[in-house]
Coordinates of all heavy atoms in Angstrom, one line a residue:
M828 N 1.0 -1.3 0.0 CA -0.1 0.0 0.0 C 0.9 1.3 0.0 O 1.9 1.2 0.6 CB -1.0 0.1 1.3 CG -2.2 -0.8 1.2 SD -3.1 -0.8 2.7 CE -4.5 0.0 2.0
K829 N 0.4 2.3 -0.6 CA 1.0 3.5 -0.8 C 0.9 4.4 0.5 O -0.2 4.4 0.9 CB 0.6 4.2 -2.1 CG 1.4 5.4 -2.5 CD 0.9 5.7 -3.7 CE 1.1 7.3 -3.9 NZ 0.5 7.8 -5.2
E830 N 2.0 5.0 0.9 CA 1.9 5.9 2.1 C 1.2 7.2 1.6 O 1.4 7.6 0.6 CB 3.2 6.2 2.8 CG 4.0 4.9 3.3 CD 3.3 4.6 4.7 OE1 3.0 5.3 5.5 OE2 3.1 3.3 4.8
N831 N 0.5 7.9 2.7 CA -0.1 9.1 2.5 C 1.1 10.2 2.5 O 1.8 10.3 3.5 CB -1.1 9.4 3.5 CG -1.8 10.7 3.3 OD1 -1.4 11.5 2.5 ND2 -2.9 10.9 4.1
L832 N 1.3 10.9 1.4 CA 2.4 11.9 1.3 C 1.9 13.2 1.8 O 2.7 14.1 2.1 CB 2.9 12.1 0.0 CG 3.5 10.7 -0.6 CD1 3.9 10.9 -2.1 CD2 4.7 10.2 0.3
A833 N 0.6 13.5 2.0 CA 0.2 14.7 2.6 C 0.5 15.0 4.0 O 0.4 13.9 4.8 CB -1.4 14.9 2.3
I834 N 0.9 16.0 4.4 CA 1.3 16.3 5.8 C 0.6 17.5 6.3 O 0.6 18.6 5.5 CB 2.8 16.4 5.9 CG1 3.6 15.3 5.6 CG2 3.3 16.8 7.3 CD1 5.0 15.3 5.4
G835 N 0.0 17.5 7.5 CA -0.7 18.6 8.1 C 0.1 19.3 9.1 O 0.9 18.6 10.0
Y836 N 0.3 20.5 9.0 CA 1.2 21.3 9.9 C 0.2 22.4 10.7 O -0.6 22.9 10.1 CB 2.3 22.1 9.2 CG 3.3 21.4 8.5 CD1 3.1 21.1 7.2 CD2 4.4 20.9 9.2 CE1 4.1 20.5 6.5 CE2 5.4 20.2 8.4 CZ 5.2 20.0 7.1 OH 6.1 19.2 6.4
A837 N 0.6 22.6 11.9 CA -0.1 23.7 12.7 C 0.9 24.2 13.8 O 1.5 23.5 14.3 CB -1.3 23.3 13.2
G838 N 0.7 25.5 14.1 CA 1.5 26.0 15.2 C 2.8 26.8 14.7 O 3.0 27.0 13.4
K839 N 3.5 27.2 15.6 CA 4.7 28.1 15.5 C 5.9 27.4 16.1 O 5.8 26.5 17.1 CB 4.5 29.4 16.2 CG 3.3 30.2 15.7 CD 3.2 31.5 16.4 CE 2.0 32.2 16.0 NZ 1.8 33.3 16.8
F840 N 7.0 27.6 15.5 CA 8.3 27.2 16.2 C 9.5 28.1 16.1 O 9.3 28.9 15.2 CB 8.7 25.7 15.7 CG 8.9 25.7 14.2 CD1 10.2 25.8 13.7 CD2 8.0 25.4 13.3 CE1 10.5 25.8 12.4 CE2 8.3 25.3 11.9 CZ 9.5 25.5 11.5
G841 N 10.4 28.1 16.9 CA 11.5 29.1 16.9 C 11.8 29.4 18.2 O 11.3 29.1 19.2
D842 N 13.0 30.3 18.4 CA 13.5 30.7 19.6 C 12.6 31.5 20.4 O 12.7 31.5 21.6 CB 15.0 31.2 19.4 CG 15.9 30.3 18.9 OD1 15.8 29.1 19.1 OD2 16.9 30.7 18.2
K843 N 11.8 32.3 19.6 CA 11.1 33.4 20.5 C 9.6 32.9 20.8 O 8.8 33.7 21.4 CB 10.9 34.6 19.5 CG 12.3 35.3 19.3 CD 12.2 36.6 18.6 CE 13.6 37.1 18.4 NZ 13.6 38.5 17.8
V844 N 9.3 31.7 20.4 CA 8.0 31.1 20.8 C 7.8 30.7 22.1 O 8.7 30.2 22.6 CB 7.7 29.9 19.9 CG1 6.2 29.3 20.2 CG2 7.7 30.3 18.4
R845 N 6.8 31.2 22.8 CA 6.4 30.8 24.2 C 5.0 30.3 24.2 O 4.1 30.9 23.6 CB 6.6 32.1 25.1 CG 8.0 32.6 25.1 CD 9.0 31.7 25.8 NE 10.3 32.2 25.9 CZ 11.2 31.8 25.0 NH1 11.0 30.9 24.0 NH2 12.6 32.3 25.0
S846 N 4.7 29.4 25.1 CA 3.4 28.9 25.5 C 2.6 28.5 24.2 O 1.4 28.8 24.1 CB 2.6 30.0 26.2 OG 3.2 30.3 27.4
D847 N 3.3 27.9 23.2 CA 2.6 27.4 22.0 C 3.4 26.0 21.7 O 4.3 25.6 22.4 CB 2.9 28.4 20.9 CG 1.8 28.3 19.8 OD1 1.1 27.2 19.7 OD2 1.7 29.3 19.0
C848 N 3.0 25.5 20.6 CA 3.5 24.2 20.1 C 3.5 24.1 18.5 O 2.6 25.0 17.9 CB 3.1 23.0 20.7 SG 1.3 22.7 20.3
F849 N 4.2 23.3 17.9 CA 4.1 23.0 16.5 C 3.8 21.6 16.3 O 4.4 20.7 17.0 CB 5.5 23.4 15.9 CG 5.5 23.0 14.4 CD1 4.9 23.7 13.5 CD2 6.2 21.7 14.0 CE1 5.0 23.4 12.2 CE2 6.3 21.4 12.6 CZ 5.6 22.2 11.7
V850 N 2.8 21.1 15.6 CA 2.4 19.9 15.5 C 2.4 19.6 13.9 O 2.1 20.3 13.0 CB 0.8 19.6 15.9 CG1 0.5 18.3 15.4 CG2 0.8 19.9 17.2
K851 N 3.1 18.3 13.5 CA 3.2 17.8 12.2 C 2.4 16.5 12.3 O 2.9 15.6 13.0 CB 4.7 17.7 11.9 CG 4.9 17.1 10.5 CD 6.3 17.2 10.2 CE 6.8 16.4 9.0 NZ 8.2 16.3 8.8
L852 N 1.7 16.2 11.4 CA 0.9 15.0 11.2 C 0.9 14.5 9.9 O 0.5 15.1 9.0 CB -0.6 15.3 11.7 CG -1.5 14.2 11.7 CD1 -1.2 13.1 12.8 CD2 -3.0 14.7 12.0
Q853 N 1.2 13.2 9.8 CA 1.1 12.4 8.6 C 0.4 11.1 8.8 O 0.8 10.3 9.7 CB 2.5 12.2 8.0 CG 2.5 11.4 6.7 CD 3.8 11.1 6.1 OE1 4.9 11.3 6.9 NE2 3.9 10.8 4.9
L854 N -0.7 10.9 8.2 CA -1.4 9.6 8.2 C -0.7 8.6 7.4 O -0.2 8.8 6.3 CB -2.8 9.8 7.7 CG -3.6 10.9 8.4 CD1 -5.1 10.8 7.8 CD2 -3.9 10.5 10.0
T855 N -0.8 7.4 8.0 CA 0.0 6.3 7.3 C -0.9 5.1 7.3 O -2.0 5.0 7.8 CB 1.3 5.8 8.1 OG1 1.0 5.4 9.4 CG2 2.4 6.9 8.2
N856 N -0.5 4.0 6.5 CA -1.3 2.9 6.3 C -1.2 1.8 7.4 O -1.8 0.8 7.5 CB -1.1 2.3 5.0 CG -1.6 3.2 3.9 OD1 -2.8 3.8 3.9 ND2 -1.0 3.3 2.7
R857 N 0.1 1.9 8.0 CA 0.5 0.9 9.0 C 1.4 1.6 10.0 O 1.9 2.4 9.9 CB 1.0 -0.4 8.3 CG 2.4 0.0 7.5 CD 2.9 -1.2 6.7 NE 4.0 -0.9 6.0 CZ 4.1 -0.2 4.9 NH1 3.0 0.4 4.3 NH2 5.2 0.1 4.1
G858 N 1.7 0.5 11.0 CA 2.8 1.1 12.0 C 2.2 1.7 13.3 O 3.0 2.0 14.2
G859 N 0.9 1.9 13.4 CA 0.4 2.4 14.7 C 0.7 3.9 14.7 O 0.9 4.6 13.8
I860 N 0.6 4.4 15.9 CA 0.8 5.8 16.2 C 2.3 5.8 16.7 O 2.6 5.3 17.6 CB 0.0 6.3 17.3 CG1 -1.6 6.2 17.1 CG2 0.2 7.7 17.7 CD1 -2.0 6.8 15.8
Q861 N 3.0 6.7 15.8 CA 4.4 6.9 16.1 C 4.6 8.4 16.4 O 4.4 9.3 15.5 CB 5.3 6.5 14.8 CG 5.1 5.2 14.4 CD 5.9 4.9 13.2 OE1 6.8 5.6 12.7 NE2 5.6 3.8 12.6
S862 N 4.9 8.7 17.7 CA 4.9 10.1 18.1 C 6.3 10.4 18.6 O 6.9 9.7 19.4 CB 3.8 10.4 19.2 OG 3.9 11.5 19.7
T863 N 6.7 11.6 18.3 CA 7.9 12.2 18.8 C 7.7 13.6 19.3 O 6.9 14.2 18.9 CB 9.1 12.3 17.7 OG1 8.6 13.2 16.8 CG2 9.5 11.0 17.1
L864 N 8.3 13.8 20.5 CA 8.1 14.9 21.3 C 9.4 15.7 21.6 O 10.4 15.0 22.1 CB 7.4 14.7 22.7 CG 7.3 15.8 23.5 CD1 6.3 16.9 23.0 CD2 6.6 15.3 24.8
Q865 N 9.5 17.0 21.3 CA 10.7 17.8 21.6 C 10.2 18.8 22.7 O 9.2 19.6 22.3 CB 11.4 18.5 20.6 CG 12.1 17.6 19.5 CD 12.7 18.5 18.4 OE1 12.4 19.6 18.4 NE2 13.4 17.8 17.6
S866 N 10.6 18.7 23.8 CA 10.1 19.7 24.8 C 11.1 19.9 25.9 O 11.7 19.0 26.5 CB 8.8 19.2 25.5 OG 8.3 20.1 26.5
K867 N 11.3 21.2 26.3 CA 12.1 21.4 27.6 C 11.5 20.9 28.9 O 12.2 20.6 29.9 CB 12.4 23.0 27.6 CG 13.2 23.6 26.5 CD 13.4 25.0 26.7 CE 14.4 25.5 25.6 NZ 14.6 26.9 25.8
V868 N 10.2 20.7 28.9 CA 9.6 20.3 30.1 C 9.2 18.7 29.9 O 8.3 18.3 30.6 CB 8.3 21.2 30.4 CG1 8.8 22.5 30.8 CG2 7.4 21.2 29.1
D869 N 9.8 18.0 29.0 CA 9.6 16.6 28.8 C 9.5 15.8 30.1 O 8.7 15.1 30.3 CB 10.6 16.1 27.8 CG 10.1 14.6 27.2 OD1 9.0 14.3 27.5 OD2 11.0 14.0 26.7
S870 N 10.5 16.1 30.9 CA 10.6 15.2 32.2 C 9.4 15.4 33.1 O 9.1 14.6 33.8 CB 11.9 15.6 32.9 OG 12.0 16.9 33.3
L871 N 8.9 16.7 33.1 CA 7.7 17.1 33.9 C 6.3 16.7 33.2 O 5.5 16.1 33.8 CB 7.7 18.5 34.3 CG 8.9 18.9 35.1 CD1 8.8 20.4 35.3 CD2 8.8 18.3 36.5
Y872 N 6.1 17.1 31.9 CA 4.9 16.9 31.3 C 4.9 16.0 30.0 O 4.0 15.9 29.4 CB 4.4 18.4 30.9 CG 4.2 19.2 32.0 CD1 5.2 20.4 32.2 CD2 3.3 19.1 33.1 CE1 5.0 21.1 33.4 CE2 3.1 19.8 34.0 CZ 3.9 21.0 34.3 OH 3.8 21.7 35.4
G873 N 6.0 15.3 29.8 CA 6.0 14.6 28.4 C 5.1 13.5 28.3 O 4.4 13.4 27.4
Q874 N 4.9 12.8 29.5 CA 3.8 11.8 29.4 C 2.4 12.3 29.2 O 1.6 11.8 28.5 CB 3.9 10.9 30.9 CG 3.0 9.7 30.8 CD 3.4 8.7 29.7 OE1 4.6 8.4 29.5 NE2 2.4 8.3 28.9
R875 N 2.2 13.5 29.9 CA 0.9 14.1 29.6 C 0.6 14.4 28.3 O -0.5 14.3 27.8 CB 0.6 15.3 30.6 CG -0.6 16.1 30.4 CD -1.8 15.1 30.8 NE -3.0 15.9 30.3 CZ -4.1 15.3 29.7 NH1 -4.1 14.0 29.3 NH2 -5.1 16.0 29.3
I876 N 1.6 15.0 27.7 CA 1.6 15.4 26.3 C 1.4 14.2 25.4 O 0.5 14.2 24.6 CB 2.7 16.3 25.8 CG1 2.8 17.5 26.7 CG2 2.7 16.5 24.3 CD1 4.1 18.3 26.5
N877 N 2.2 13.2 25.5 CA 2.0 12.0 24.7 C 0.6 11.4 25.0 O -0.1 10.8 24.0 CB 2.9 10.9 25.2 CG 4.4 11.4 24.5 OD1 4.5 11.8 23.4 ND2 5.4 11.2 25.3
D878 N 0.1 11.3 26.2 CA -1.4 10.8 26.4 C -2.4 11.7 25.8 O -3.3 11.2 25.3 CB -1.5 10.8 28.0 CG -0.9 9.8 28.8 OD1 -0.2 8.9 28.1 OD2 -0.7 10.0 30.0
L879 N -2.1 13.0 25.8 CA -3.0 13.8 25.0 C -3.1 13.7 23.5 O -4.1 13.6 23.0 CB -2.7 15.4 25.4 CG -3.6 16.5 25.0 CD1 -4.9 16.3 25.6 CD2 -3.0 17.7 25.3
V880 N -1.9 13.4 23.0 CA -1.9 13.0 21.5 C -2.6 11.7 21.3 O -3.4 11.7 20.3 CB -0.3 12.8 21.1 CG1 -0.3 12.2 19.8 CG2 0.3 14.2 21.1
L881 N -2.5 10.7 22.1 CA -3.3 9.4 22.0 C -4.8 9.7 22.0 O -5.6 9.1 21.4 CB -2.9 8.5 22.9 CG -1.4 7.9 22.6 CD1 -0.9 6.9 23.7 CD2 -1.2 7.3 21.3
E882 N -5.1 10.6 23.0 CA -6.6 10.9 23.2 C -7.2 11.6 21.8 O -8.2 11.4 21.4 CB -6.8 11.9 24.3 CG -6.6 11.3 25.8 CD -6.6 12.3 26.8 OE1 -7.3 13.3 26.6 OE2 -6.0 12.0 28.0
M883 N -6.3 12.5 21.3 CA -6.7 13.1 20.1 C -6.9 12.2 18.9 O -7.8 12.2 18.1 CB -5.8 14.2 19.7 CG -5.8 15.4 20.7 SD -7.5 16.2 20.8 CE -7.6 16.9 19.2
C884 N -5.9 11.3 18.9 CA -6.0 10.2 17.8 C -7.2 9.3 18.0 O -7.9 9.1 17.0 CB -4.7 9.3 17.9 SG -3.3 10.1 17.3
D885 N -7.6 9.0 19.3 CA -8.7 8.2 19.5 C -10.0 9.1 19.0 O -11.0 8.6 18.5 CB -9.0 7.9 21.0 CG -8.0 6.7 21.3 OD1 -7.6 6.0 20.5 OD2 -7.9 6.7 22.6
F886 N -10.1 10.3 19.4 CA -11.2 11.3 19.0 C -11.4 11.3 17.6 O -12.5 11.3 17.1 CB -11.0 12.6 19.5 CG -12.1 13.6 19.2 CD1 -13.2 13.7 20.0 CD2 -11.9 14.6 18.2 CE1 -14.2 14.4 19.7 CE2 -13.0 15.4 17.9 CZ -14.1 15.2 18.7
F887 N -10.3 11.5 16.8 CA -10.4 11.5 15.4 C -10.3 10.1 14.6 O -10.2 10.1 13.4 CB -9.4 12.5 14.7 CG -9.6 13.8 15.1 CD1 -8.8 14.6 16.0 CD2 -10.7 14.6 14.4 CE1 -9.1 15.9 16.2 CE2 -10.9 15.9 14.7 CZ -10.0 16.6 15.6
E888 N -10.3 9.1 15.5 CA -10.3 7.7 15.0 C -9.1 7.4 14.0 O -9.1 6.8 13.0 CB -11.6 7.3 14.2 CG -12.7 7.4 15.1 CD -14.1 7.1 14.4 OE1 -14.2 7.0 13.2 OE2 -15.1 6.9 15.2
I889 N -7.9 8.1 14.5 CA -6.6 7.7 13.8 C -6.0 6.7 14.3 O -5.6 6.5 15.6 CB -5.7 9.0 13.8 CG1 -6.4 10.3 13.3 CG2 -4.4 8.8 13.3 CD1 -5.7 11.6 13.7
K890 N -5.7 5.6 13.5 CA -5.0 4.4 13.9 C -3.6 4.3 13.6 O -2.8 3.6 14.3 CB -5.8 3.1 13.4 CG -7.3 3.0 13.6 CD -7.5 2.9 15.1 CE -9.1 2.8 15.3 NZ -9.4 3.2 16.7
N891 N -3.2 4.9 12.5 CA -1.9 4.9 12.0 C -1.3 6.3 11.6 O -2.0 6.9 10.7 CB -1.7 3.9 10.9 CG -2.1 2.5 11.3 OD1 -1.4 1.8 11.9 ND2 -3.2 2.0 10.7
A892 N -0.2 6.8 12.2 CA 0.2 8.1 11.9 C 1.6 8.3 12.5 O 2.0 7.7 13.4 CB -0.8 9.2 12.5
K893 N 2.3 9.4 11.8 CA 3.4 9.9 12.3 C 3.3 11.1 12.8 O 2.7 12.0 12.1 CB 4.6 9.8 11.2 CG 5.0 8.5 10.7 CD 6.0 8.6 9.6 CE 6.4 7.2 9.2 NZ 7.3 7.3 8.0
I894 N 3.5 11.5 14.1 CA 3.2 12.8 14.7 C 4.5 13.3 15.4 O 5.2 12.5 16.1 CB 2.1 12.6 15.8 CG1 0.9 11.9 15.2 CG2 1.8 14.0 16.4 CD1 -0.1 11.4 16.3
E895 N 4.7 14.5 15.0 CA 6.0 15.2 15.6 C 5.2 16.5 16.3 O 4.6 17.2 15.8 CB 6.9 15.8 14.6 CG 7.6 14.6 13.9 CD 8.6 15.0 12.8 OE1 9.2 16.0 13.0 OE2 8.7 14.4 11.8
I896 N 5.8 16.6 17.6 CA 5.3 17.8 18.4 C 6.6 18.5 18.9 O 7.5 17.8 19.5 CB 4.3 17.4 19.6 CG1 3.2 16.8 19.0 CG2 4.2 18.6 20.4 CD1 2.1 16.3 20.0
V897 N 6.6 19.8 18.7 CA 7.8 20.6 19.3 C 7.0 21.6 20.2 O 6.2 22.4 19.8 CB 8.5 21.4 18.3 CG1 9.6 22.3 18.9 CG2 9.1 20.5 17.1
D898 N 7.2 21.4 21.5 CA 6.5 22.1 22.6 C 7.4 23.1 23.2 O 8.5 23.0 23.5 CB 6.0 21.0 23.7 CG 5.5 21.7 25.0 OD1 4.5 22.5 24.8 OD2 6.0 21.6 26.0
Y899 N 6.8 24.3 23.3 CA 7.3 25.5 24.0 C 6.5 25.9 25.2 O 6.2 27.1 25.3 CB 7.4 26.6 23.0 CG 8.3 26.3 21.8 CD1 7.7 25.8 20.6 CD2 9.7 26.4 21.8 CE1 8.5 25.5 19.4 CE2 10.4 26.1 20.7 CZ 9.8 25.7 19.6 OH 10.6 25.3 18.4
G900 N 6.1 25.0 25.9 CA 5.3 25.3 27.2 C 3.8 25.5 26.9 O 3.1 26.1 27.6
A901 N 3.3 24.9 25.9 CA 1.8 24.9 25.5 C 1.0 24.3 26.6 O 1.4 23.1 27.2 CB 1.5 24.3 24.2
L902 N -0.2 24.9 26.8 CA -1.1 24.2 27.8 C -2.0 23.2 26.9 O -1.9 23.2 25.7 CB -2.1 25.2 28.3 CG -1.4 26.4 29.2 CD1 -2.4 27.4 29.5 CD2 -0.8 25.6 30.4
D903 N -2.6 22.3 27.6 CA -3.4 21.2 27.0 C -4.3 21.8 25.8 O -4.3 21.1 24.7 CB -4.2 20.5 28.0 CG -3.5 19.6 28.9 OD1 -2.2 19.5 28.7 OD2 -4.0 18.8 29.6
F904 N -5.0 22.8 26.1 CA -5.9 23.2 25.1 C -5.2 23.8 23.8 O -5.9 23.6 22.7 CB -7.0 24.3 25.6 CG -6.3 25.7 26.0 CD1 -6.1 26.6 25.0 CD2 -6.0 25.8 27.3 CE1 -5.5 27.9 25.5 CE2 -5.4 27.1 27.7 CZ -5.2 28.1 26.7
T905 N -4.1 24.3 24.0 CA -3.3 24.7 22.7 C -2.8 23.6 22.0 O -2.8 23.5 20.8 CB -2.0 25.6 23.3 OG1 -2.6 26.7 24.1 CG2 -1.3 26.2 22.1
I906 N -2.4 22.5 22.7 CA -2.0 21.3 21.9 C -3.0 20.7 21.1 O -2.9 20.3 20.1 CB -1.2 20.2 23.0 CG1 0.0 21.0 23.7 CG2 -0.8 19.1 22.3 CD1 0.6 20.2 24.8
T907 N -4.2 20.5 21.8 CA -5.3 20.0 21.1 C -5.8 20.8 20.0 O -6.0 20.3 18.9 CB -6.5 19.6 22.1 OG1 -7.0 20.8 22.8 CG2 -6.2 18.5 23.2
A908 N -5.8 22.1 20.1 CA -6.1 23.0 19.0 C -5.2 22.8 17.9 O -5.7 22.9 16.7 CB -6.3 24.3 19.5
R909 N -3.9 22.8 18.2 CA -2.8 22.7 17.1 C -3.0 21.3 16.5 O -2.9 21.1 15.2 CB -1.5 22.8 17.6 CG -1.2 24.3 18.1 CD -1.4 25.4 17.2 NE -0.8 26.6 17.6 CZ -1.0 27.7 17.0 NH1 -1.7 27.8 15.9 NH2 -0.5 28.8 17.5
F910 N -3.3 20.3 17.1 CA -3.4 18.9 16.7 C -4.7 19.0 15.7 O -4.6 18.4 14.5 CB -3.6 17.9 17.7 CG -3.7 16.6 17.2 CD1 -2.5 15.7 17.3 CD2 -4.9 15.9 16.7 CE1 -2.6 14.3 16.8 CE2 -4.9 14.6 16.3 CZ -3.7 13.8 16.3
E911 N -5.8 19.5 16.1 CA -7.0 19.5 15.4 C -6.8 20.3 14.0 O -7.2 19.8 13.1 CB -8.2 20.2 16.2 CG -9.5 20.2 15.4 CD -10.6 20.7 16.2 OE1 -10.5 20.9 17.4 OE2 -11.8 20.8 15.6
A912 N -6.1 21.5 14.2 CA -5.8 22.2 13.1 C -5.1 21.4 12.0 O -5.2 21.5 10.8 CB -5.1 23.5 13.4
A913 N -3.9 20.8 12.4 CA -3.1 19.9 11.6 C -3.9 18.9 10.9 O -3.8 18.7 9.6 CB -2.0 19.4 12.3
Y914 N -4.8 18.4 11.7 CA -5.6 17.1 11.1 C -6.6 17.7 10.1 O -6.7 17.1 8.9 CB -6.4 16.6 12.3 CG -7.3 15.4 11.8 CD1 -6.7 14.2 11.4 CD2 -8.7 15.6 11.7 CE1 -7.7 13.2 10.9 CE2 -9.6 14.6 11.2 CZ -9.0 13.4 10.8 OH -9.9 12.4 10.4
K915 N -7.2 18.8 10.3 CA -8.1 19.5 9.3 C -7.5 19.9 8.1 O -8.0 19.7 7.0 CB -8.8 20.4 10.0 CG -9.9 19.9 11.0 CD -10.9 20.9 11.6 CE -11.9 20.2 12.5 NZ -12.9 21.2 13.0
I916 N -6.3 20.4 8.3 CA -5.5 20.8 7.1 C -5.1 19.6 6.2 O -5.1 19.6 5.0 CB -4.2 21.6 7.5 CG1 -4.6 22.9 8.0 CG2 -3.2 21.8 6.3 CD1 -3.4 23.8 8.8
L917 N -4.7 18.6 6.9 CA -4.3 17.2 6.2 C -5.5 16.7 5.5 O -5.4 16.3 4.3 CB -3.8 16.3 7.3 CG -3.4 14.8 6.8 CD1 -2.4 14.9 5.8 CD2 -3.0 14.0 8.0
I918 N -6.6 16.7 6.0 CA -7.9 16.1 5.4 C -8.3 17.0 4.3 O -8.6 16.4 3.2 CB -9.1 16.0 6.5 CG1 -8.7 15.1 7.6 CG2 -10.4 15.7 5.8 CD1 -8.3 13.8 7.0
Q919 N -8.0 18.3 4.3 CA -8.4 19.1 3.2 C -7.4 18.9 2.1 O -7.8 18.8 0.9 CB -8.3 20.5 3.5 CG -9.5 21.0 4.5 CD -9.4 22.5 4.9 OE1 -8.3 23.2 4.7 NE2 -10.5 23.0 5.3
K920 N -6.2 18.6 2.3 CA -5.2 18.4 1.2 C -5.5 17.1 0.7 O -5.4 16.9 -0.5 CB -3.8 18.3 1.9 CG -3.1 19.6 2.3 CD -1.8 19.3 2.7 CE -1.1 20.6 3.2 NZ 0.4 20.4 3.7
D921 N -6.0 16.1 1.5 CA -6.4 14.7 1.0 C -7.6 14.8 0.2 O -7.5 14.1 -0.9 CB -6.5 13.8 2.1 CG -6.1 12.3 1.7 OD1 -5.3 12.1 1.0 OD2 -6.8 11.4 2.3
D922 N -8.5 15.6 0.5 CA -9.8 15.7 -0.4 C -9.4 16.3 -1.7 O -10.2 16.2 -2.7 CB -10.8 16.4 0.4 CG -11.5 15.8 1.6 OD1 -11.2 14.5 1.7 OD2 -12.1 16.4 2.5
C923 N -8.5 17.1 -1.8 CA -8.2 17.9 -3.0 C -7.6 17.0 -4.0 O -7.4 17.4 -5.2 CB -7.2 19.1 -2.8 SG -8.1 20.4 -1.9
R924 N -7.1 15.8 -3.7 CA -6.4 15.0 -4.6 C -7.4 14.3 -5.6 O -8.4 14.1 -5.4 CB -5.8 13.8 -3.8 CG -4.5 14.4 -3.2 CD -3.9 13.2 -2.5 NE -2.6 13.8 -1.8 CZ -1.8 13.0 -1.3 NH1 -1.8 11.7 -1.5 NH2 -0.7 13.5 -0.7

């Protein structure tokens, strides 16, 4: 099966970003949920962020995806909003094919 080449992005990244995150989402045909997280607060909140990503995957019924998150101290609602935005951008790109 062919992998989905469309990728959805949402958020900001860079040295001056505070209280935000960047989410990159690519749906795949196999492999389950593969998530990577870059965060200065990984030791404190990394597990919570990863759990939140899995909750969002369950909500959108995503079974296979590659997800990258770069966190700059984002709160839960910011992470979920960025995830949803990336997903909706990805779906729009996929619908245009």
Side-chain angles (χ1 to χ4, degrees):
M828 279 179 116
K829 192 170 145 184
E830 292 289 317
N831 184 348
L832 298 179
I834 298 174
Y836 297 95
K839 301 176 183 179
F840 60 91
D842 294 337
K843 296 183 180 184
V844 176
R845 300 287 180 262
S846 301
D847 206 344
C848 66
F849 175 78
V850 176
K851 178 180 171 183
L852 174 64
Q853 179 180 12
L854 301 179
T855 60
N856 295 321
R857 61 186 177 283
I860 304 298
Q861 300 172 22
S862 177
T863 59
L864 171 66
Q865 292 179 354
S866 176
K867 290 182 179 179
V868 295
D869 188 16
S870 62
L871 294 172
Y872 300 108
Q874 186 60 50
R875 173 63 190 137
I876 295 169
N877 286 321
D878 291 345
L879 192 58
V880 167
L881 293 177
E882 288 173 25
M883 293 300 293
C884 288
D885 285 342
F886 180 81
F887 288 109
E888 299 179 349
I889 299 170
K890 304 295 183 205
N891 300 292
K893 293 179 183 175
I894 304 163
E895 294 179 34
I896 298 178
V897 182
D898 173 53
Y899 298 97
L902 298 174
D903 286 4
F904 67 87
T905 305
I906 296 167
T907 57
R909 295 299 190 194
F910 187 99
E911 181 177 357
Y914 178 73
K915 289 186 176 183
I916 289 168
L917 176 62
I918 294 305
Q919 287 177 350
K920 285 181 182 179
D921 207 36
D922 286 346
C923 290
R924 290 180 178 196

